[in-house]
Amino acid sequence: MNDDNSRELYDRALSVMPGGVNSAVRAAIEPYPFFVQKGDAGHVIDADGNRYIDWVMGLGPLLLGHSLPEPVQAAIQQKASAGPMYGTPTEVEVDLAEFVVRHVPSVEKIRFVNSGTEATVSAVRLARGHTGRNKIVVMQGGYHGAQESTLVEGDADNPAPSSAGIPQSFAEHTLPVPFNDEDAMREVFEEHGDDIAAVLTEPILANYGIVHPEDGYHEFLRELTAEHGSLLIFDEVITGFRVGGLGCAQSEFGVTPDLTTFGKVIGGGFPVGAIGGRAEIIDGFAPSGDVFQAGTFSGHPVTMAAGLETLQFAAENDVYDHVNGLGERLRNSLTEIVADQAPSYTVTGTDSMFKVIFTREGPGKDSLEEQCTAGCRQRPTCPRYDYCPKNAADVKNAETDRWRRVFWGQMKAQDVFLSQNQFECQFVSYGHTDEDVEQTLEAYKHAL
Ligand SMILES: *Cc1c(COP(=O)(O)O)cnc(C)c1O
């Protein structure tokens, strides 16, 4: 496989961009990432003309794949050519806001911003403003963007910044606990309950190998936060409009958060973020409230049109049936392949998300018949239950080096583009076909 052009481009990039990239995770591919020339349905074509089946899909935003349906393309072109933006409102912002309010049960009002990071920054500020409290509880290993309040490691007794440039005094207001651990959460509330503004979590840890909540965990979070007057914030930047269809993951779990952050899919492939929730809380944002929030590009007409037309297309076509069906097929078949070739590994994911976690230990091969067949659901009766990853530490203990250094390259050599490392999620799009799935499964068989 020739990669001369990608190498040359990366060489140029290293001279003018830190690590040669504009987002840290992109440099995770070694020795250098391939540069993309263009997309085509479920595929990307790199700068040297190599074609890959693409399960990265921009790391989440591209629900429809790389070839946008005609009405989506037309709306984008129309907004771009009408003059890109104005600094005063446009109708399409109201249209998209109404669409989200109509479909997501917990959202009565919404504010659009420009990235998932900006959404979680603003949601945390709003939660603090609303409650008059300082502390935020997050899940260890959870990702909420590149922001001061959530780039934290350690545990609730010893939180520390996970990046240089963040004062220890910021980290002290963030309390990381393990996902799926009710006792740890109860302890944190016993100690700090009066000063906890919010619990911020993804409904499914989709940035850490894909970890499903145990049955009842979100109901538990809902009750505990309500009891202490804290807010429950679901970060649905990945799961929003991907898991649970247009109702998002919260409708699938039947749990109503106070606030929800959105990003990725809701902008149809353009830079976006949003904070939605109960009107009484969202009205805390300036100018109706006293929590300052503003943005030159917020509600950008091109983004709003791309998001609205994408979601409307999904509402009127078989998008979720298609992507969830292929997702189910991938997870089912991967479960069989793994049982045969690498029985300690765990297949995870739901709807249009999938991943194989290279867990080191598993139940005996004979008992695998009764495991979850289309992605780990943390069923206590599953023979794999004692071994499947329940939080970030469990995923981290997997064979992450083998995934990155051996497996990823073997998949790429077979023209399959998987996410950069063991932790990032993989996505099915409307552009993917049965044939893409077949070819990918064959590649897994060879690479595992
Ligand atoms: C991607 C992501 C973010 C950050 O969004 P950006 O648009 O990259 O800033 C926040 N939260 C979650 C759950 C994400 O997956």
Side-chain angles (χ1 to χ4, degrees):
M1 195 178 281
N2 179 9
D3 66 356
D4 291 352
N5 289 337
S6 280
R7 191 179 58 248
E8 215 166 284
L9 285 167
Y10 192 63
D11 198 1
R12 275 174 58 200
L14 277 174
S15 303
V16 286
M17 284 149 42
V21 290
N22 279 307
S23 183
V25 290
R26 288 177 205 165
I29 294 172
E30 293 175 281
Y32 42 83
F34 60 81
F35 281 63
V36 172
Q37 192 185 120
K38 62 172 183 166
D40 176 19
H43 296 205
V44 284
I45 294 131
D46 75 11
D48 293 279
N50 303 305
R51 175 183 276 268
Y52 308 92
I53 305 173
D54 176 14
W55 301 107
V56 176
M57 282 294 145
L59 290 166
L62 304 179
L63 179 65
L64 301 180
H66 294 289
S67 305
L68 299 177
E70 202 280 324
V72 185
Q73 285 209 40
I76 293 167
Q77 302 295 348
Q78 193 271 327
K79 292 295 178 213
S81 62
M85 46 87 70
Y86 312 99
T88 189
T90 58
E91 182 173 353
V92 66
E93 300 168 59
V94 188
D95 292 339
L96 183 54
E98 285 174 349
F99 186 99
V100 177
V101 167
R102 205 158 55 237
H103 288 92
V104 186
S106 71
V107 176
E108 294 171 357
K109 283 194 172 179
I110 189 165
R111 169 148 299 173
F112 290 106
V113 294
N114 306 290
S115 70
T117 297
E118 208 184 325
T120 65
V121 167
S122 305
V124 165
R125 188 183 307 140
L126 183 63
R128 286 173 168 153
H130 180 79
T131 58
R133 301 173 178 185
N134 289 322
K135 295 196 187 309
I136 303 289
V137 182
V138 298
M139 302 301 163
Q140 286 169 355
Y143 184 67
H144 304 288
Q147 66 128 317
E148 269 63 7
S149 291
T150 60
L151 286 177
V152 168
E153 59 191 20
D155 56 32
D157 293 329
N158 291 297
S162 63
S163 160
I166 299 176
Q168 174 65 27
S169 54
F170 280 44
E172 276 158 18
H173 291 302
T174 305
L175 308 168
V177 299
F179 192 61
N180 275 329
D181 188 334
E182 297 192 5
D183 290 340
M185 187 63 81
R186 256 189 226 104
E187 264 173 47
V188 162
F189 269 87
E190 268 162 32
E191 190 157 337
H192 303 282
D194 292 348
D195 198 25
I196 294 175
V199 171
L200 169 63
T201 183
E202 283 189 276
I204 297 167
L205 289 195
N207 281 285
Y208 228 88
I210 314 182
V211 178
H212 210 76
E214 291 200 51
D215 237 11
Y217 185 63
H218 288 320
E219 288 84 346
F220 159 76
L221 291 181
R222 181 61 285 183
E223 243 173 66
L224 190 68
T225 45
E227 209 175 285
H228 285 86
S230 310
L231 302 185
L232 178 61
I233 309 175
F234 273 178
D235 183 351
E236 293 226 42
V237 169
I238 281 191
T239 55
F241 304 103
R242 175 153 309 266
V243 174
L246 296 173
C248 305
Q250 53 195 261
S251 72
E252 189 129 307
F253 291 117
V255 170
T256 308
D258 300 297
L259 292 176
T260 304
T261 51
F262 299 97
K264 301 194 169 116
V265 172
I266 203 176
F270 290 81
V272 78
I275 311 95
R278 286 213 309 280
E280 161 226 351
I281 304 174
I282 297 289
D283 276 334
F285 277 136
S288 46
D290 53 9
V291 175
F292 188 73
Q293 204 292 317
T296 300
F297 291 107
S298 295
H300 195 286
V302 176
T303 301
M304 296 292 103
L308 178 66
E309 292 299 328
T310 294
L311 296 180
Q312 223 141 43
F313 186 87
E316 290 162 10
N317 295 276
D318 61 341
V319 172
Y320 290 112
D321 284 347
H322 181 89
V323 297
N324 296 349
L326 292 186
E328 178 105 351
R329 256 191 74 200
L330 276 162
R331 291 187 301 274
N332 268 325
S333 302
L334 286 171
T335 303
E336 283 170 24
I337 294 169
V338 159
D340 202 36
Q341 296 182 218
S344 70
Y345 292 0
T346 310
V347 178
T348 61
T350 183
D351 295 55
S352 58
M353 313 197 301
F354 72 102
K355 194 83 182 174
V356 178
I357 302 183
F358 285 17
T359 32
R360 293 169 192 271
E361 288 176 67
K365 222 172 163 172
D366 299 339
S367 57
L368 286 174
E369 313 271 282
E370 290 161 56
Q371 69 175 322
C372 300
T373 53
C376 173
R377 288 292 174 280
Q378 312 285 355
R379 269 194 299 116
T381 54
C382 173
R384 197 179 274 284
Y385 181 72
D386 289 336
Y387 308 94
C388 70
K390 295 178 183 58
N391 55 49
D394 293 346
V395 179
K396 209 169 177 177
N397 286 338
E399 298 180 314
T400 53
D401 276 341
R402 179 162 192 271
W403 203 102
R404 180 170 66 97
R405 291 181 180 278
V406 180
F407 169 72
W408 187 89
Q410 285 195 302
M411 293 299 281
K412 177 173 176 260
Q414 299 174 87
D415 307 323
V416 179
F417 177 31
L418 298 184
S419 52
Q420 290 91 326
N421 54 43
Q422 173 74 96
F423 305 109
E424 313 275 346
C425 192
Q426 289 155 187
F427 302 98
V428 181
S429 79
Y430 196 58
H432 285 110
T433 62
D434 284 324
E435 204 184 321
D436 295 332
V437 168
E438 281 314 313
Q439 201 179 322
T440 299
L441 290 170
E442 282 307 307
Y444 267 96
K445 270 187 215 165
H446 288 289
L448 278 177

